[in-house]
Amino acid sequence: MDLESFSAQLEELRSRALAAVSKADDPAELDDVESSFLGRKGELRELLGGIGQLPGEDRPKVGALANPIREQLEAEIAARRSRLTEIALDVRLARERSDVTLPGRPLAVGSLHPLIETQREIARIFSQFGFVVYGSPEVETDELNFQLLNIPEDHPARDLWDTIYVDGTDGRYLLRTHTSPGQIRLMRDSAPPIRAILPGRCYRYEAVDASHGFEFFQVEGLMIDEGTTMATLRALLDEFARAMFGPTTRTRFRPGYYPFTEPSVAFDISCLICGGIGCPACKRTGWLTILGAGMVHPVVLRNGGIDPEVHQGFAFGMGTDRIAMLRHGIPDIRAFLANDLRFLERFQ
Ligand code: 2NL
């Protein structure tokens, strides 16, 4: 072995290494190339290990031959490594390119359910007259739902409400048939003057049809003070009707019956469809009944802890479903809870 052939072998190694470096097209492959040529067990080390076979005076010259090759390879590897990083970034940028000038994707925005929207509108109107909103349970006792409202057990008045009872409670617990038990709770929890409305879900054992659900919504109202009369009630309901159905709405009281009010009335508005002339919507009467009301029965006041000799007041109750049907011209109460998006999206 002489210096010339040693040099030739170094040159051969250089050209193979350079070819391998430029062929490497991912960082792991480049690492392999680096360690196979320049590593501790790499080809360059191995070649230099044969230095002993050279004549003594040639040995110092080996470094001058090998070092520039090592330096060149190290530089080429570093350059290739940064190029590979650049390429990887370019690929990623191309793949993840987004066109910021594209129009945005529309967000699916929900809206209030028509029953809740109606409930809120009723609450908004009554809040203008100082009424607060009071909430109470949907599962009630027979006592609060009936007995304390002047509807004794086994009394024929019970027939007005077909009731859903809670299994295994021996008739003690039921699903409230109206929000009225909340009014007893409110009277017992507070003291006159009282002005509150009670919105919420109620349940009855109904034969379901276009105007009856077994599950429906009600808003009841209660006002108790000194000297609160039917005139106060009439004025309040007139204002409510005009705010809810328009300023030209006419109203009337008709005699009615509820066990918890005395006297009791039905409250009608002039027909929204025909304006009072008479049409199929109002059964040719010109009037639509929108709620029932009356002066709270003295027995019910006493059950609520209120002395009827000092305080009097009225209560009223309306079917939220019916009000919403009138406002929006919805012909079938079953539409509200059918969860049909084609129906619900009309109220966006
Ligand atoms: C209707 C009629 C009404 C009441 C509800 C009531 C509650 C208490 C005392 C007195 Cl605690 N009255 N509520 C009074 C009259 C009528 O509802 O047809 N609602 C859909």
Side-chain angles (χ1 to χ4, degrees):
M1 168 83 86
D2 58 14
L3 192 57
E4 209 166 308
S5 77
F6 191 81
S7 170
Q9 284 185 56
L10 275 173
E11 283 309 324
E12 187 274 336
L13 183 145
R14 184 209 312 254
S15 65
R16 266 194 305 114
L18 287 174
V21 168
S22 58
K23 233 187 97 233
D25 52 15
D26 72 67
E29 196 181 335
L30 190 61
D31 288 344
D32 289 346
V33 170
E34 181 172 33
S35 70
S36 74
F37 287 100
L38 301 182
R40 277 200 308 121
K41 293 184 176 154
E43 286 194 41
L44 188 59
R45 282 280 182 117
E46 204 186 325
L47 198 56
L48 294 175
I51 196 172
Q53 294 165 18
L54 288 176
E57 75 270 21
D58 286 342
R59 289 180 200 167
K61 298 178 185 156
V62 167
L65 288 174
N67 284 341
I69 293 176
R70 174 192 297 282
E71 278 158 23
Q72 184 194 7
L73 291 180
E74 280 171 351
E76 289 297 325
I77 288 167
R80 183 69 184 156
R81 187 167 280 132
S82 74
R83 179 74 194 120
L84 287 180
T85 310
E86 254 172 53
I87 290 170
L89 183 60
D90 286 348
V91 166
R92 222 185 115 193
L93 286 176
R95 193 175 51 229
E96 297 176 9
R97 154 169 275 125
S98 55
D99 181 350
V100 295
T101 67
L102 283 175
R105 295 190 187 97
L107 288 177
V109 178
S111 57
L112 285 182
H113 188 281
L115 283 174
I116 301 303
E117 181 261 334
T118 298
Q119 188 171 280
R120 288 202 188 174
E121 178 61 5
I122 295 168
R124 189 189 67 77
I125 294 167
F126 281 104
S127 76
Q128 295 178 319
F129 300 104
F131 285 65
V132 298
V133 172
Y134 189 80
S136 70
E138 291 178 20
V139 177
E140 272 292 3
T141 59
D142 183 276
E143 189 184 27
L144 277 153
N145 194 79
F146 290 125
Q147 295 164 42
L148 296 171
L149 289 163
N150 204 26
I151 312 161
E153 281 178 290
D154 304 318
H155 191 280
R158 287 256 172 154
D159 296 347
L160 291 171
W161 298 273
D162 293 310
T163 308
I164 299 172
Y165 291 89
V166 178
D167 264 0
T169 66
D170 218 9
R172 242 177 71 73
Y173 289 97
L174 46 78
L175 300 185
R176 67 179 180 189
T177 59
H178 37 209
T179 58
S180 318
Q183 309 211 33
I184 302 287
R185 291 175 180 275
L186 169 58
M187 286 188 262
R188 291 181 163 186
D189 272 7
S190 62
I194 292 171
R195 288 185 197 190
I197 60 166
L198 295 88
R201 203 183 288 254
C202 305
Y203 305 85
R204 288 185 197 170
Y205 188 77
E206 290 284 352
V208 172
D209 64 21
S211 46
H212 298 85
F214 63 87
E215 189 183 14
F216 59 95
F217 287 73
Q218 220 185 27
V219 177
E220 281 195 295
L222 181 68
M223 174 165 170
I224 296 175
D225 207 333
E226 290 175 34
T228 303
T229 68
M230 289 285 274
T232 325
L233 172 64
R234 182 73 201 266
L236 176 70
L237 293 183
D238 276 5
E239 292 299 332
F240 167 71
R242 288 181 190 124
M244 194 78 190
F245 299 105
T248 60
T249 309
R250 284 167 296 114
T251 65
R252 72 174 184 184
F253 269 180
R254 284 185 298 120
Y257 168 75
Y258 300 103
F260 30 70
T261 44
E262 179 60 34
S264 303
V265 294
F267 182 68
D268 299 349
I269 59 170
S270 47
C271 179
L272 299 170
I273 309 291
C274 65
I277 299 160
C279 71
C282 56
K283 299 195 186 107
R284 318 223 158 269
T285 65
W287 297 96
L288 298 166
T289 300
I290 61 161
L291 57 82
M295 300 305 293
V296 179
H297 197 290
V299 166
V300 177
L301 285 175
R302 235 176 259 118
N303 289 339
I306 290 167
D307 180 356
E309 298 301 325
V310 181
H311 293 103
Q312 309 77 34
F314 56 75
F316 55 86
M318 67 188 98
T320 314
D321 304 68
R322 178 165 165 77
I323 305 285
M325 288 164 79
L326 289 172
R327 287 178 85 211
H328 297 295
I330 298 163
D332 193 324
I333 195 172
R334 291 169 287 199
F336 289 122
L337 298 182
N339 269 343
D340 185 334
L341 281 179
R342 292 168 300 179
F343 171 76
L344 296 172
E345 281 168 354
R346 288 185 48 219
F347 302 93
Q348 293 236 329

